[in-house]
Structure formats: structure tokens, C-alpha cells
């Protein structure tokens, strides 16, 4: 530890010497040789008290009067009380903060309250003690009740309030998006990418080079689909399943091959390591990678060729994996499904969730249609974009089918044509919604 010096009171535990209240210049390294003195991180409660983590199982309780107005996350020097000094009695170990050795926060988010010659900011975080005084010349012309970011110029000493400068006006407290942006500012979330990281992302082509396809297992003719939330943009995994002639099943699980584009040690790689993960908020996503990757070439978007890492498994009737292989692949997602509609399919709650165009020759569904109602299907089908897409898909696949419901296939397999039509119409499929291919 580097040699640091701090002024502090109450160095000696002797009651007589504590009463003298003399300030002494001390060597931090020296005082920490006494196990009663420890460095730790202060965790403040909204009611004023807090705990200091000193790297042991039991945290040290600090009563409100003994915190020296430390903020949540501050590094502090404390003295741990002996049994005779314990004040609260409810905690195994108690102590007091002697010095704040390092502040964790230099900016605070809160609501600005304006007066004639000055103002103050009420912090959003209840763990921050007290309001922050804002001189008029440091108010950045903020209006009353606006949400702001304030830089702390002077920390509270227990007698005087903290003083600061408004460095950013987020917006009106009832303005759309201000609440989310306030959280981003408060927790210092990485809302923007550095320009050199963006430049590296923009340099990556958004179309796969044919040379890359030649080196990979080509699975683009498989019926592959994603299942995500309705608003999801970064679709990074997909699956496909089919029944084999011997009664087993082949299950493919496909993950976007991000490692092909993000090389170890690159600016993209270092930024991703710093962020650790994508952050999902109420009205936005803060991605781990720039959108050129997360929503673009590394997202398994419907109808787009994508590089993937795939695990192809063979599963028996008992659901046991009896064989598998992992391969670098190229895939093309046929359908972007949502959790909501897949749930409807599985529970058969909503016939419209799986309504599609049916092949009258084979009586098997050729494509899954999400959120398509009877009214959406035009009488002749010519003007409906969904039906046209189905026709194109079926033509490309040469009438290869995508079975979405094995139970339906089994039920209609033994019916004659008239019974099949009645069966489908009972499910809400009008004859005008059926197309011979």
C-alpha cells in the first residue's frame, strides 16, 4: 500500500486521550497495523445508518451520527468498537467512520429546486445524505423541478451541505424518457459507444462473403426459427427440430457467431468486456455491442444469411441426447416467432396465432403466420402480403413443409377432402385462406 497521510481525530482508544480531541497527522499504513482500524466500503441505508464491508463475514454497523456524511460506495477508514463501546447493541460489530479516503460518486442525479438567489438538488438516490446546494451562477439556468445531473464541488462535512454545479439538464420530470435517462445517468450506464469502437463496427460488412459459406456447414435449407420478445432486436439464438425415419429427433441449436466479427484484443472486444452484458430497460436496450452487430450482422434476422455456431443433437423418444456434434455453420431463419404466440400455439388458446396458408395437396402447413386474423386474409389472397410471402416461400422450398403442429397433422391425415375442409373451417380457417400450391 502506498504511504498516505490523513488528519483524523480519535486515534487512541483510551478514553482520556479521546477526550482531548486533538488532531494528529498519522501514517495510514501504521494505524492499520492495529486491527481495530480498517479500510472498507460504506453501504448507506436511506435512513442514515450504514454498514462497512471490511472483507470479513460480518459487516461493521455505523450509526447515523457516526457516518461523517459518507456517501454510498465511499471508501472509508473506520475504528471498530470494543465491547464496552457498543452503542446499538443489536449488531455483532459496531464502529465509526474516521475519514473518507475516497469518494465513490462525484456526480448526482436529482430534482432541482430553484430559489431567487440559489437552488438545491434533491437526490433521486435515497442513500445520498442531504440536499446539494447550488449557487445561482452554477445552476446552468435550470428550471424549477427539472431533472438534472450535478457535479459535487464540495462534499458535506456534517455541518455544511454539499455544494455542486449543474452539468446537465435531463429534462422535465414528467417528460417521456426522462425517468429512464435519469437511471442511465445515476448508475453511469454506458449509453454511448466511443467513436473508435463505432468505426470498427461500421467497417464490418453487413452481408456474408460467399467464401465464408464454403468453409461452413450450410444449414440454410433447414426450417430454423427464433423465439424472442415482441420488441427484441438482437436475435442471437435459433432452433430447428425434425423427426427422423427411425423415430428419433434432430434438434439444432444455433448461436450467432459473434467471435467471427469481434476479434480478441480489438476495440470492440475491449468495449464488450467493459460492458459485460446488454442492459434491458423499460423503453430501450443498452447493447453490449454496437447496433451494426447486435441488431445487424450478428442478429439472426428472418430471411437473412448468418454465420452461426451450431450444436446438432440426436434425441431419442425418451428425450435423451444420444449423439451430438458442434459445427461452424451458415443458417437462414425462416420465421421470427414470439413467446406470446408460441404460448398460444402450445396451449391452443388462440387459433389466429397459428393461422397460415395450407397446402391442400399434402394437408400440411407450409409456414407459420404470427398475428394473422381471418380479416387479414383477402378473399382471393392476392392483395395480402402474408399470403404472397407464403407463396414465395413455398415456391422457393418446392412445397417442402414447415409442420407447426403435429397433432393437427395426425387428426387430418385420415379425413377425406370434405372432412378436412370442415375441420380447418372449424378452427377458423376459411376456404378462401387456403391455397393450392
Amino acid at each position: 500500500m502506498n504511504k498516505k497521510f490523513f488528519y483524523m481525530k480519535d486515534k487512541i482508544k483510551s478514553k482520556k486521550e479521546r477526550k482531548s480531541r486533538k488532531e494528529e497527522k498519522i501514517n495510514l499504513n501504521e494505524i492499520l497495523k492495529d486491527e481495530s482500524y480498517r479500510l472498507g466500503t460504506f453501504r448507506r441505508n436511506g435512513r442514515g445508518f450504514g454498514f462497512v464491508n471490511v472483507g470479513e463475514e460480518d459487516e461493521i454497523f455505523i450509526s447515523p451520527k457516526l457516518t461523517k456524511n459518507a456517501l454510498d460506495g465511499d471508501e472509508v477508514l473506520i475504528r471498530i468498537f470494543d465491547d464496552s463501546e457498543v452503542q446499538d447493541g443489536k449488531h455483532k460489530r459496531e464502529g465509526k467512520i474516521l475519514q473518507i479516503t475516497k469518494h465513490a460518486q462525484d456526480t448526482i442525479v436529482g430534482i432541482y429546486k430553484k430559489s431567487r438567489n440559489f437552488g438545491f438538488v434533491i437526490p433521486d438516490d435515497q442513500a445520498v445524505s442531504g440536499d446539494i446546494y447550488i449557487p445561482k451562477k452554477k445552476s446552468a439556468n435550470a428550471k424549477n423541478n427539472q431533472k438534472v445531473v450535478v457535479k459535487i464541488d464540495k462534499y458535506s462535512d456534517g455541518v455544511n451541505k454539499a455544494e455542486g454545479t449543474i452539468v446537465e439538464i435531463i429534462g422535465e420530470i414528467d417528460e417521456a424518457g426522462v425517468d429512464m435517462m435519469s437511471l442511465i445517468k445515476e448508475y453511469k450506464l454506458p449509453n454511448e459507444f466511443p467513436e473508435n469502437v463505432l468505426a470498427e463496427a461500421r467497417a464490418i460488412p453487413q452481408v456474408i462473403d460467399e467464401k465464408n459459406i464454403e468453409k461452413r456447414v450450410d444449414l440454410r435449407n433447414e426450417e430454423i426459427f427464433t423465439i424472442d420478445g415482441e420488441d427484441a432486436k438482437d436475435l442471437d439464438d435459433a432452433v430447428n427440430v425434425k423427426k427422423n425415419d427411425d423415430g428419433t429427433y434432430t434438434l439444432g441449436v444455433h448461436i450467432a457467431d459473434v467471435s467471427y466479427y469481434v476479434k480478441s484484443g480489438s476495440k470492440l472486444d475491449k468495449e464488450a468486456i467493459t460492458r459485460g452484458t446488454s442492459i434491458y430497460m423499460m423503453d430501450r436496450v443498452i447493447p453490449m455491442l454496437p447496433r451494426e452487430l447486435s441488431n445487424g450482422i450478428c442478429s439472426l434476422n428472418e430471411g437473412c444469411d448468418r454465420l452461426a455456431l451450431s450444436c446438432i443433437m440426436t434425441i431419442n423418444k425418451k428425450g435423451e441426447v444420444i449423439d451430438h456434434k458442434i459445427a461452424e455453420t451458415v443458417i437462414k431463419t425462416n420465421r421470427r416467432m414470439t413467446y406470446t404466440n408460441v404460448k398460444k400455439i402450445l396451449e391452443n388458446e388462440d387459433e389466429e396465432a397459428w393461422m397460415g396458408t395450407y397446402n391442400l395437396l399434402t394437408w400440411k402447413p407450409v409456414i407459420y403466420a404470427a398475428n394473422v386474423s381471418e380479416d387479414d386474409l383477402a378473399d382471393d389472397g392476392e392483395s395480402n402480403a402474408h399470403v404472397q410471402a407464403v407463396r414465395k416461400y413455398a415456391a422457393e422450398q418446392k412445397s417442402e413443409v414447415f409442420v407447426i403442429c403435429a397433432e393437427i397433422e395426425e387428426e387430418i391425415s385420415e379425413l377425406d377432402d370434405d372432412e378436412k375442409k370442415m375441420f380447418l373451417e372449424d378452427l377458423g380457417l376459411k376456404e378462401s385462406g387456403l391455397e393450392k400450391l
Side-chain angles (χ1 to χ4, degrees), residues 152-197:
I152 301 176
D153 300 322
K154 296 179 182 177
Y155 290 87
S156 172
D157 58 8
V159 177
N160 300 304
K161 289 181 178 292
E163 182 176 320
T165 301
I166 292 178
V167 293
E168 183 177 351
I169 299 172
I170 301 175
E172 304 294 336
I173 57 175
D174 56 354
E175 184 181 342
V178 167
D179 51 351
M180 291 296 106
M181 186 56 67
S182 297
L183 290 174
I184 290 172
K185 297 295 183 180
E186 179 178 345
Y187 292 101
K188 298 179 174 59
L189 301 179
N191 192 41
E192 297 179 353
F193 285 93
E195 187 55 41
N196 59 353
V197 175

Side-chain angles (χ1 to χ4, degrees), residues 10 21 63 118 155 192 261 272 280 299 352 379 389 422 425:
D10 210 10
R21 310 298 290 177
S63 68
F118 64 91
Y155 290 87
E192 297 179 353
Y261 301 100
Y280 293 83
S299 182
E352 293 179 357
D379 288 343
M422 291 177 62
E425 288 174 349

Side-chain angles (χ1 to χ4, degrees), residues 268-283:
L268 282 166
D269 180 47
K270 292 177 180 178
E271 182 69 18
I273 291 173
T274 300
R275 293 179 175 233
T277 185
S278 296
I279 301 171
Y280 293 83
M281 305 183 72
M282 291 288 290
D283 64 345

Side-chain angles (χ1 to χ4, degrees), residues 258-326:
V258 180
S259 64
Y260 179 83
Y261 301 100
V262 181
K263 303 302 182 183
S264 178
S266 66
K267 294 178 178 63
L268 282 166
D269 180 47
K270 292 177 180 178
E271 182 69 18
I273 291 173
T274 300
R275 293 179 175 233
T277 185
S278 296
I279 301 171
Y280 293 83
M281 305 183 72
M282 291 288 290
D283 64 345
R284 72 194 71 193
V285 176
I286 300 176
M288 185 173 66
L289 294 168
R291 285 175 172 79
E292 286 82 357
L293 275 73
S294 61
N295 294 4
I297 195 64
C298 293
S299 182
L300 307 180
N301 299 328
E302 182 177 331
C304 297
D305 292 347
R306 291 291 186 257
L307 302 184
L309 297 176
S310 302
C311 181
I312 312 299
M313 293 163 276
T314 302
I315 301 175
N316 63 21
K317 293 181 179 180
K318 296 180 180 180
E320 300 168 333
V321 178
I322 58 177
D323 191 19
H324 78 281
K325 66 177 180 179
I326 297 175

Side-chain angles (χ1 to χ4, degrees), residues 217-231:
V217 178
D218 193 342
L219 301 178
R220 287 176 294 175
N221 288 329
E222 298 294 332
E223 300 292 352
I224 297 175
F225 55 93
T226 59
I227 305 176
D228 292 275
E230 279 80 357
D231 299 327

Side-chain angles (χ1 to χ4, degrees), residues 72-261:
D72 189 58
D74 283 353
E75 180 187 88
V76 296
L77 173 66
I78 66 169
R79 184 173 68 78
I80 301 172
F81 293 157
D82 58 32
D83 292 341
S84 65
E85 298 176 284
V86 171
Q87 300 178 11
D88 186 270
K90 297 179 181 179
H91 304 274
K92 290 182 179 180
R93 308 177 77 188
E94 298 180 23
K96 66 181 296 184
I97 293 177
L98 302 176
Q99 289 288 334
I100 300 169
T101 58
K102 184 179 180 181
H103 286 289
Q105 304 179 62
D106 61 356
T107 58
I108 301 293
V109 175
I111 298 175
Y112 180 62
K113 295 294 184 179
K114 184 177 181 180
S115 297
R116 171 178 271 184
N117 298 316
F118 64 91
F120 56 93
V121 172
I122 303 174
D124 286 353
D125 187 354
Q126 295 183 356
V128 176
S129 59
D131 306 330
I132 302 169
Y133 170 73
I134 307 295
K136 187 175 182 179
K137 63 181 181 180
K138 296 183 177 182
S139 67
N141 295 317
K143 298 178 182 178
N144 192 48
N145 286 330
Q146 281 189 322
K147 191 65 72 75
V148 300
V149 179
V150 56
K151 184 180 184 301
I152 301 176
D153 300 322
K154 296 179 182 177
Y155 290 87
S156 172
D157 58 8
V159 177
N160 300 304
K161 289 181 178 292
E163 182 176 320
T165 301
I166 292 178
V167 293
E168 183 177 351
I169 299 172
I170 301 175
E172 304 294 336
I173 57 175
D174 56 354
E175 184 181 342
V178 167
D179 51 351
M180 291 296 106
M181 186 56 67
S182 297
L183 290 174
I184 290 172
K185 297 295 183 180
E186 179 178 345
Y187 292 101
K188 298 179 174 59
L189 301 179
N191 192 41
E192 297 179 353
F193 285 93
E195 187 55 41
N196 59 353
V197 175
L198 289 174
E200 198 169 272
R202 291 169 186 146
I204 296 174
Q206 291 294 306
V207 179
I208 296 175
D209 191 326
E210 287 295 325
K211 294 180 181 179
N212 295 329
I213 295 177
E214 295 173 1
K215 301 175 183 178
R216 291 175 173 255
V217 178
D218 193 342
L219 301 178
R220 287 176 294 175
N221 288 329
E222 298 294 332
E223 300 292 352
I224 297 175
F225 55 93
T226 59
I227 305 176
D228 292 275
E230 279 80 357
D231 299 327
K233 300 292 190 299
D234 51 339
L235 315 178
D236 54 9
D237 53 76
V239 295
N240 73 291
V241 62
K242 60 183 178 182
K243 189 173 182 179
N244 303 318
D245 294 337
D246 61 359
T248 62
Y249 294 85
T250 296
L251 172 64
V253 179
H254 316 280
I255 307 296
D257 190 358
V258 180
S259 64
Y260 179 83
Y261 301 100

